[in-house]
Every structure is written in structure tokens, then in C-alpha cells.
Amino acid sequence: MRPDSLRYAVVGHPVAHSLSPRIQRAFAAQFGMAIDYTTLDVTAGSFVEAVAAFFATGGRGLNITVPHKRAALAVADACSAAAARAGVANVLAVDVDGGLIAHNTDGSGLLRDLEQRMARPLAASAVLLLGAGGAACGVAGPLLDAGIASLTVVNRSPAPAQRLVERLRDPRARAQPWAALPRLPRFDLLINATSAGVLGQRLLLPDGLVDSDSLACDLAYGEAARPFLRWGHGAGARTADGLGMLVETAAESFAIWHGRQPQTAPVLQMLRTENQPSA
Ligand code: NDP
């Protein structure tokens, strides 16, 4: 390993499945750059040590995934406003003085993707957010900033949803227990920010939460998103997976590290073509 080489990586556990290396190399190719971008499989107990070693040996930037998003904020010397508000970070970068800066691009990435998919403006929408983990914390504040009418947060365990709403300090946000789902009205936008699909677990959702004017969006993609998208489709809603968000958040981390904004559409198209289910 050359200490002077500029290295980037995604750190998580597990992380072998991550599309981030593919995406970041495709962005770099748009500018004729060759980057060294790998995966780092690191358990929670080794995270601080692994981050220190990475940046001490030429590391310039990390994408952060489960289970390290909270620890990534704690390990940084400073953080962006979005990361401070979310309480979790998904990007680490080195600043001019050599300090570590934590960022959160989940919310802005989701918003950019949604703006291209929503037939109606996000502003004034009634939004249901399922889940209160790292991804939900990252997207909740930016959704409110986009002018939505209301944000209802529903989580399997009530305490994280309550904490998320308290942190938001916004009268448009409220938490509801999972058992209240059948009594809730329809929503313009339903975001599944649970990891049920990734864990191979089924969400039991009432059909009345969405209709043909709604968008049902899973932050997961591929096989993990399929049961939720099938439910949304069955309930009459338009549906979207999280692949677009993944590419948009990755583009923002690329811009943070390299000061250049890559094109996302061709990279999303490439991933969709590569990941088409075989007949
Ligand atoms: P976390 O582990 O931080 O949070 C998991 C959340 O899922 C918790 O709210 C948990 O509830 C809930 N949950 C887990 N299993 C179930 C279940 N069976 N029924 C109901 N709720 C459940 O994960 P993240 O927030 O980081 O990730 C959530 C999802 O978002 C994942 O699918 C991930 O792949 C996706 N994601 C996508 C991104 C993208 O760019 N497209 C970026 C980041 C995440 P409880 O508190 O009760 O345990």
C-alpha cells in the first residue's frame, strides 16, 4: 500500500454486496480519473481503529454504511449541518487541515431522486416514513425542508420514532405506533426506511395507506425491495426503489471528495441494466 496514493472505500459490515465501488469508479471514468476505491468489512468494535488506520495510510474519503453511521459522526473532528441534524453520517472526508469532516447525503440524495419521480410537487405532500434508523434520520429533516405538509413517523419500536420526532422540533412531524397503521389516512408519499426487506422479513401493511395518486418508495433496492414494491403496486400506487437515491447520494460524496459533479443518469441506467432479473 503506497501512503501517497489517494484511496477511497465504503466501510460497513457486511459490505461485500455494496454497489459503491462500481458507482464511484463509473463517476471517476466520466472525468478520465482512475481512483482506488475498495470495500472495508469492519465490525462495530474495530471501527474507530480501522478509520484511523485508513486515513493514516493515504485514505481520502469513506462512504459509511450499516452499522457505522452513528460512530462515523462521533469519530469526525467536525460535521456538516445535515449530519449534525441527522445525528448520523454516511460520508467522511479530509479537510484542508487534515481533520475529518462527517457529512450526510442521504436526505439530499433522496430528494433529488424523488423530484424526478413525483408527478406532483413534494411541497404540500403528506408523507409517511416507516422506520426510525439511520436512513430515516438522514431523510426526515430534508423532507421537511422541502416543504412537505406533514411527516408521520412509524417505527416497529416506538422509542426511536419518538426520539426522531423530538429531534426534528417541527410541528408538522409526529410519531405514531405501528399498531395505528390501519387507522391512518392515505399518504401522498410512503417511504419504507425499514431494513425488513434486507433482512428477508415481511412488512404487513394495510392497502389504504396509498392510492393511485401516491408514490410508495423503498429505500432498499434489488431483491430486498421486491416485496414492498409488490405491495405498493397491489395497493394501486406508483412505486420506486432506492437505487436512484443510492446513485444520487454517491454523486454527492464524489463531489465532496473531488470537487466535481458527476452525471448520475448514465450510471443509474448501467446499474439497472446490469441488475435486471434474468427471465
Ligand atoms: P437501521 O439498522 O439503522 O434501521 C433499521 C430500521 O428498520 C429500524 O427502524 C428498525 O426498527 C426497522 N426494522 C427492521 N426490521 C423490521 C421489521 N421486520 N419490521 C418493521 N421494522 C423493521 O438501517 P438503515 O436505516 O441504515 O437502513 C434502512 C433501509 O434503508 C435499508 O433497507 C437500507 O438498505 C436502506 N438504505 C438505502 C440507502 C440508499 O441510498 N438507497 C441509504 C441508506 C439506507 P426497530 O427500531 O424497531 O428495530
Side-chain angles (χ1 to χ4, degrees):
M1 184 191 312
R2 289 171 31 224
D4 60 340
S5 68
L6 301 185
R7 297 190 303 122
Y8 300 85
V10 53
V11 56
H13 183 69
V15 77
H17 65 283
S18 175
L19 295 174
S20 295
R22 187 90 184 84
I23 296 171
Q24 294 294 336
R25 286 178 203 140
F27 287 157
Q30 292 179 10
F31 301 100
M33 297 161 56
I35 56 164
D36 178 354
Y37 190 107
T38 52
T39 56
L40 286 181
D41 195 326
V42 171
T43 56
S46 311
F47 179 74
V48 175
E49 214 171 63
V51 168
F54 178 79
F55 285 103
T57 54
R60 300 298 295 170
L62 285 174
N63 285 124
I64 314 292
T65 187
V66 173
H68 304 306
K69 288 186 174 183
R70 210 166 286 280
L73 186 63
V75 87
D77 301 303
C79 67
S80 69
R85 189 178 189 196
V88 289
N90 67 338
V91 181
L92 285 173
V94 183
D95 74 3
V96 281
D97 304 322
L100 273 190
I101 312 289
H103 299 261
N104 192 310
T105 62
D106 277 343
S108 50
L110 174 66
L111 286 187
R112 269 202 304 280
D113 188 47
L114 284 178
E115 278 155 14
Q116 294 158 30
R117 293 170 187 270
M118 293 279 285
R120 42 176 296 158
L122 197 52
S125 293
V127 180
L128 173 59
L129 182 59
L130 291 178
C137 290
V139 304
L143 283 166
L144 289 165
D145 292 346
I148 61 171
S150 65
L151 180 70
T152 304
V153 183
V154 174
N155 194 53
R156 179 178 58 181
S157 346
Q162 201 57 51
R163 278 198 298 273
L164 170 53
V165 166
E166 280 164 16
R167 199 182 171 91
L168 290 168
R169 294 167 188 259
D170 190 305
R172 291 171 295 166
R174 62 176 185 155
Q176 288 285 329
W178 196 274
L181 281 174
R183 299 192 297 276
L184 295 182
R186 73 163 282 283
F187 291 87
D188 300 306
L189 174 61
L190 192 169
I191 298 173
N192 179 20
T194 77
S195 51
V198 173
L199 299 172
Q201 298 165 1
R202 206 57 182 260
L203 290 180
L204 286 177
L205 301 173
D207 283 356
L209 294 174
V210 289
D211 63 18
S212 58
D213 288 330
S214 311
L215 179 67
C217 177
D218 201 327
L219 299 193
Y221 44 84
E223 219 28 71
R226 208 148 286 161
F228 175 82
L229 298 182
R230 204 175 297 131
W231 168 83
H233 188 67
R238 287 173 300 122
T239 57
D241 68 6
L243 200 58
M245 169 183 168
L246 181 74
V247 174
E248 294 295 343
T249 60
E252 206 170 320
S253 53
F254 187 93
I256 289 167
W257 296 327
H258 306 290
R260 294 165 138 182
Q261 195 68 49
Q263 304 264 333
T264 52
V267 177
L268 180 57
Q269 183 57 48
M270 173 192 80
L271 295 177
R272 292 242 182 259
T273 308
E274 288 178 356
N275 293 292
Q276 250 164 22
S278 46

Short mmCIF file of all heavy atoms in Angstrom, two decimals, residues 82 85-86 107-108 111 129 135-148 151 164 167-168 170 172-173:
data_model
loop_
_atom_site.label_atom_id
_atom_site.label_comp_id
_atom_site.label_asym_id
_atom_site.label_seq_id
_atom_site.Cartn_x
_atom_site.Cartn_y
_atom_site.Cartn_z
N ALA A 82 -26.20 19.04 7.84
CA ALA A 82 -27.10 17.91 7.60
C ALA A 82 -26.74 16.72 8.50
O ALA A 82 -27.63 16.04 9.03
CB ALA A 82 -27.04 17.48 6.13
N ARG A 85 -27.77 17.51 12.15
CA ARG A 85 -29.21 17.42 12.33
C ARG A 85 -29.70 15.97 12.35
O ARG A 85 -30.57 15.60 13.12
CB ARG A 85 -29.88 18.17 11.17
CG ARG A 85 -31.37 18.34 11.34
CD ARG A 85 -31.84 19.12 10.17
NE ARG A 85 -33.21 19.54 10.30
CZ ARG A 85 -33.92 19.97 9.28
NH1 ARG A 85 -33.38 20.06 8.08
NH2 ARG A 85 -35.16 20.35 9.46
N ALA A 86 -29.08 15.14 11.49
CA ALA A 86 -29.49 13.74 11.40
C ALA A 86 -28.96 12.92 12.57
O ALA A 86 -29.56 11.92 12.95
CB ALA A 86 -29.00 13.14 10.08
N GLY A 107 -30.41 12.48 2.73
CA GLY A 107 -31.61 13.28 2.52
C GLY A 107 -31.59 13.99 1.18
O GLY A 107 -32.56 13.93 0.41
N SER A 108 -30.47 14.66 0.88
CA SER A 108 -30.41 15.40 -0.38
C SER A 108 -30.45 14.44 -1.57
O SER A 108 -31.05 14.74 -2.61
CB SER A 108 -29.16 16.29 -0.42
OG SER A 108 -28.04 15.53 -0.07
N LEU A 111 -34.07 13.36 -2.04
CA LEU A 111 -34.88 14.46 -2.60
C LEU A 111 -34.63 14.62 -4.09
O LEU A 111 -35.56 14.79 -4.88
CB LEU A 111 -34.58 15.78 -1.89
CG LEU A 111 -35.15 15.92 -0.49
CD1 LEU A 111 -34.92 17.32 0.03
CD2 LEU A 111 -36.63 15.59 -0.44
N LEU A 129 -43.29 8.00 6.93
CA LEU A 129 -41.94 7.45 6.97
C LEU A 129 -41.97 6.21 7.86
O LEU A 129 -42.21 6.32 9.08
CB LEU A 129 -40.98 8.51 7.54
CG LEU A 129 -39.49 8.19 7.64
CD1 LEU A 129 -38.90 7.84 6.28
CD2 LEU A 129 -38.74 9.37 8.26
N ALA A 135 -31.14 5.62 8.13
CA ALA A 135 -31.63 6.21 6.87
C ALA A 135 -32.79 7.16 7.14
O ALA A 135 -32.85 8.26 6.58
CB ALA A 135 -32.05 5.10 5.92
N ALA A 136 -33.72 6.76 8.01
CA ALA A 136 -34.87 7.61 8.33
C ALA A 136 -34.40 8.92 8.95
O ALA A 136 -34.91 10.01 8.60
CB ALA A 136 -35.82 6.87 9.28
N CYS A 137 -33.41 8.85 9.85
CA CYS A 137 -32.89 10.08 10.49
C CYS A 137 -32.26 11.00 9.45
O CYS A 137 -32.36 12.22 9.55
CB CYS A 137 -31.86 9.73 11.56
SG CYS A 137 -32.59 8.93 13.00
N GLY A 138 -31.63 10.41 8.43
CA GLY A 138 -30.98 11.21 7.39
C GLY A 138 -31.96 11.92 6.48
O GLY A 138 -31.70 13.03 6.02
N VAL A 139 -33.11 11.30 6.21
CA VAL A 139 -34.03 11.87 5.21
C VAL A 139 -35.12 12.76 5.82
O VAL A 139 -35.71 13.58 5.12
CB VAL A 139 -34.68 10.78 4.32
CG1 VAL A 139 -33.62 9.92 3.63
CG2 VAL A 139 -35.66 9.89 5.09
N ALA A 140 -35.40 12.59 7.12
CA ALA A 140 -36.55 13.28 7.72
C ALA A 140 -36.42 14.81 7.64
O ALA A 140 -37.36 15.50 7.20
CB ALA A 140 -36.72 12.84 9.17
N GLY A 141 -35.28 15.35 8.06
CA GLY A 141 -35.10 16.81 8.06
C GLY A 141 -35.19 17.40 6.66
O GLY A 141 -35.95 18.36 6.43
N PRO A 142 -34.45 16.87 5.69
CA PRO A 142 -34.55 17.39 4.32
C PRO A 142 -35.95 17.30 3.73
O PRO A 142 -36.36 18.17 2.95
CB PRO A 142 -33.54 16.52 3.54
CG PRO A 142 -32.51 16.15 4.57
CD PRO A 142 -33.29 15.96 5.85
N LEU A 143 -36.74 16.29 4.09
CA LEU A 143 -38.13 16.22 3.61
C LEU A 143 -38.92 17.42 4.14
O LEU A 143 -39.68 18.06 3.40
CB LEU A 143 -38.80 14.91 4.05
CG LEU A 143 -38.42 13.66 3.27
CD1 LEU A 143 -38.87 12.40 4.01
CD2 LEU A 143 -39.02 13.69 1.86
N LEU A 144 -38.74 17.72 5.42
CA LEU A 144 -39.44 18.89 6.00
C LEU A 144 -38.97 20.18 5.32
O LEU A 144 -39.77 21.06 5.00
CB LEU A 144 -39.20 18.95 7.51
CG LEU A 144 -39.91 17.86 8.32
CD1 LEU A 144 -39.35 17.77 9.73
CD2 LEU A 144 -41.42 18.11 8.37
N ASP A 145 -37.66 20.26 5.07
CA ASP A 145 -37.12 21.46 4.40
C ASP A 145 -37.71 21.63 3.00
O ASP A 145 -37.78 22.75 2.49
CB ASP A 145 -35.59 21.37 4.26
CG ASP A 145 -34.90 21.46 5.60
OD1 ASP A 145 -35.56 21.85 6.58
OD2 ASP A 145 -33.70 21.12 5.67
N ALA A 146 -38.12 20.50 2.38
CA ALA A 146 -38.68 20.58 1.02
C ALA A 146 -40.12 21.07 1.03
O ALA A 146 -40.74 21.18 -0.03
CB ALA A 146 -38.59 19.21 0.36
N GLY A 147 -40.67 21.32 2.22
CA GLY A 147 -41.99 21.94 2.29
C GLY A 147 -43.15 20.98 2.36
O GLY A 147 -44.29 21.35 2.06
N ILE A 148 -42.88 19.72 2.77
CA ILE A 148 -44.00 18.77 2.88
C ILE A 148 -45.01 19.26 3.92
O ILE A 148 -44.66 20.02 4.83
CB ILE A 148 -43.50 17.35 3.22
CG1 ILE A 148 -42.78 17.34 4.59
CG2 ILE A 148 -42.62 16.80 2.12
CD1 ILE A 148 -42.47 15.92 5.08
N LEU A 151 -45.27 15.02 8.30
CA LEU A 151 -44.40 13.85 8.33
C LEU A 151 -44.84 12.96 9.48
O LEU A 151 -44.75 13.36 10.65
CB LEU A 151 -42.94 14.27 8.54
CG LEU A 151 -41.93 13.12 8.58
CD1 LEU A 151 -41.78 12.48 7.20
CD2 LEU A 151 -40.57 13.60 9.08
N LEU A 164 -36.76 10.59 17.13
CA LEU A 164 -36.55 11.26 15.84
C LEU A 164 -37.44 12.50 15.74
O LEU A 164 -36.97 13.58 15.35
CB LEU A 164 -36.82 10.27 14.69
CG LEU A 164 -36.89 10.83 13.27
CD1 LEU A 164 -35.64 11.64 12.93
CD2 LEU A 164 -37.04 9.70 12.25
N ARG A 167 -36.24 15.29 17.98
CA ARG A 167 -35.03 15.90 17.42
C ARG A 167 -35.37 16.89 16.30
O ARG A 167 -34.68 17.89 16.11
CB ARG A 167 -34.20 14.74 16.86
CG ARG A 167 -32.79 15.03 16.64
CD ARG A 167 -32.11 13.80 16.04
NE ARG A 167 -30.80 14.21 15.66
CZ ARG A 167 -29.75 14.11 16.47
NH1 ARG A 167 -29.87 13.56 17.65
NH2 ARG A 167 -28.57 14.55 16.07
N LEU A 168 -36.44 16.61 15.55
CA LEU A 168 -36.80 17.46 14.41
C LEU A 168 -37.36 18.80 14.84
O LEU A 168 -37.25 19.80 14.12
CB LEU A 168 -37.83 16.73 13.52
CG LEU A 168 -37.30 15.52 12.75
CD1 LEU A 168 -38.44 14.70 12.16
CD2 LEU A 168 -36.33 15.95 11.65
N ASP A 170 -40.36 20.11 14.90
CA ASP A 170 -41.17 20.70 13.83
C ASP A 170 -42.62 20.26 14.05
O ASP A 170 -42.88 19.06 14.14
CB ASP A 170 -40.65 20.21 12.46
CG ASP A 170 -41.28 20.97 11.31
OD1 ASP A 170 -42.53 21.01 11.23
OD2 ASP A 170 -40.53 21.52 10.48
N ARG A 172 -44.96 19.89 12.13
CA ARG A 172 -45.51 19.04 11.07
C ARG A 172 -45.15 17.56 11.28
O ARG A 172 -45.70 16.70 10.61
CB ARG A 172 -44.97 19.49 9.71
CG ARG A 172 -45.50 20.84 9.25
CD ARG A 172 -44.73 21.30 8.01
NE ARG A 172 -43.33 21.54 8.33
CZ ARG A 172 -42.35 21.68 7.43
NH1 ARG A 172 -42.62 21.59 6.14
NH2 ARG A 172 -41.11 21.93 7.81
N ALA A 173 -44.20 17.29 12.19
CA ALA A 173 -43.76 15.91 12.40
C ALA A 173 -44.43 15.31 13.63
O ALA A 173 -44.53 15.96 14.67
CB ALA A 173 -42.24 15.89 12.57
#
